Amino acid sequence: MSRKVIFLFCALSIFSYFGVIFMVISPLSTTFYSRKYVESYPLRPPSVQWCKQQRWRSPAARGAVALVSFPGSGNTWLRYLLQQLTGIVTGSIYMDYGLRLHGFPAENVSDGSVLVVKTHESPPIEPGRFKAAVLLIRNPRDAILADYNRLHKGHIGTAPKSAFRKRSAERRSTDWSNYVATQLAAWESLHKQWLTQFPGPIHIVFYEVLVNDTRHTLQGILSFLNQTATEDEMNCTLANREGIYRRKKKYNNFDPFTRSMYDELNTVRNKVLKIVLRYQKQHSNVQKSSR
């Protein structure tokens, strides 16, 4: 083999090696969120003012608690609030480099060293993967719209109006209408699976209640997680509740949902609410009988 061939082979190997490293450490490489997510942040993003110094739990053997939600339901915002209140980092089954750069150092950590673990997936098959779960439920209309915005402009941006009018390849329907249909089915399936198949205890949180009564909702979550917080810590969290993780409403007089979409949204939402009520009734009876 000639020296020229050997040289080219070595150069190619070195290039490939460092190329892989660059992809791993680059904030533009994610396993769940698109490149647009990172690009949606300003070059110099606002710094997060934490109420407490962030730390990891110890020991890690206590077991992991899932923070379950459908995409667009406020998972990132609730993680932020919990980190503000407890000072304990929250994890995720995903590796989102954008979030890791903006206040969530435990991305891709899903063990007991973190307070809760973000997931948008079905209950895991592995027994004992999660010992308990916090299930965050948001109105499917708002969750689907929020996630559609995320796909186009990341966690804090809003999709342009043109994105809701773009036609599919068959020209028979819009990308938006197809997206609503598929995501509504996924919204129903996710909540139904966790409420009927997960063997551990579940604490149910409604996003709308979290927004309107943040204090008592957070207190309920703390109790479920066996955590405590002082009044000063709670007041600091509430004073900094917005952070940089809540999307600002851009269009005041624009509704992308049609009447038929609303009919389907209400039908599915009511089906899931019935499952929620059934779950709460069953487990309320279990708690009473165990006293």
Side-chain angles (χ1 to χ4, degrees):
M1 185 180 295
S2 66
R3 291 183 178 181
K4 185 176 180 179
V5 174
I6 295 175
F7 174 79
L8 290 174
F9 178 78
C10 293
L12 181 61
S13 299
I14 294 173
F15 178 79
S16 300
Y17 175 77
F18 285 101
V20 171
I21 293 178
F22 176 78
M23 289 179 65
V24 171
I25 66 175
S26 172
L28 299 182
S29 172
T30 69
T31 57
F32 186 76
Y33 294 98
S34 68
R35 177 176 181 144
K36 292 180 180 178
Y37 163 67
V38 179
E39 291 176 342
S40 68
Y41 280 102
L43 292 178
R44 292 185 178 181
S47 59
V48 179
Q49 301 297 320
W50 293 110
C51 296
K52 302 178 68 174
Q53 183 176 356
Q54 301 297 289
R55 61 183 176 85
W56 300 69
R57 287 181 64 191
S58 180
R62 292 176 178 173
V65 177
L67 177 56
V68 187
S69 71
F70 183 81
S73 298
N75 198 306
T76 301
W77 182 50
L78 181 51
R79 289 176 65 190
Y80 163 78
L81 291 174
L82 291 174
Q83 288 188 186
Q84 284 283 23
L85 188 57
T86 67
I88 304 174
V89 296
T90 61
S92 174
I93 68 169
Y94 313 106
M95 171 54 84
D96 186 325
Y97 285 91
L99 289 181
R100 193 174 73 172
L101 291 173
H102 298 89
F104 297 91
E107 284 297 289
N108 204 29
V109 176
S110 57
D111 58 28
S113 65
V114 296
L115 184 64
V116 292
V117 179
K118 170 183 178 177
T119 178
H120 299 313
E121 311 297 326
S122 303
I125 298 177
E126 315 96 287
R129 172 72 187 281
F130 294 120
K131 67 176 184 179
V134 175
L135 179 60
L136 178 60
I137 304 176
R138 188 179 188 182
N139 186 312
R141 174 198 182 278
D142 299 322
I144 291 172
L145 179 57
D147 198 49
Y148 194 72
N149 284 322
R150 176 190 64 79
L151 291 174
H152 287 271
K153 290 294 182 179
H155 277 286
I156 58 177
T158 304
K161 291 182 179 180
S162 59
F164 297 93
R165 304 188 182 103
K166 183 180 177 182
R167 290 279 171 180
S168 61
E170 297 80 10
R171 308 294 295 178
R172 296 177 181 176
S173 59
T174 62
D175 290 345
W176 165 242
S177 61
N178 293 333
Y179 184 81
V180 172
T182 57
Q183 294 304 298
L184 183 57
W187 186 92
E188 178 183 3
S189 177
L190 177 75
H191 297 97
K192 183 177 181 180
Q193 288 181 50
W194 277 93
L195 290 168
T196 60
Q197 298 178 14
F198 182 64
I202 298 177
H203 181 71
I204 299 171
V205 176
F206 288 99
Y207 174 85
E208 293 76 14
V209 179
L210 175 64
V211 171
N212 294 321
D213 192 0
T214 307
R215 176 186 293 272
H216 289 99
T217 304
L218 290 177
Q219 287 174 338
I221 298 173
L222 285 185
S223 178
F224 180 74
L225 298 175
N226 294 318
Q227 296 289 325
T228 58
T230 66
E231 186 66 17
D232 287 342
E233 291 167 343
M234 178 64 77
N235 290 336
C236 180
T237 298
L238 296 177
N240 294 278
R241 70 193 295 270
E242 293 300 319
I244 62 173
Y245 302 104
R246 294 192 69 195
R247 182 179 288 104
K248 303 298 186 292
K249 190 173 182 180
K250 184 177 180 180
Y251 307 119
N252 294 321
N253 300 313
F254 175 67
D255 187 353
F257 294 91
T258 64
R259 172 45 54 191
S260 61
M261 288 180 184
Y262 274 116
D263 291 341
E264 289 297 319
L265 287 165
N266 290 332
T267 298
V268 171
R269 180 168 179 262
N270 289 334
K271 288 172 62 177
V272 169
L273 288 179
K274 288 181 179 179
I275 298 174
V276 169
L277 292 174
R278 190 182 310 127
Y279 179 90
Q280 292 176 327
K281 182 178 180 180
Q282 291 174 346
H283 288 79
S284 174
N285 293 334
V286 170
Q287 291 176 356
K288 290 179 181 179
S289 63
S290 63
R291 292 176 183 175

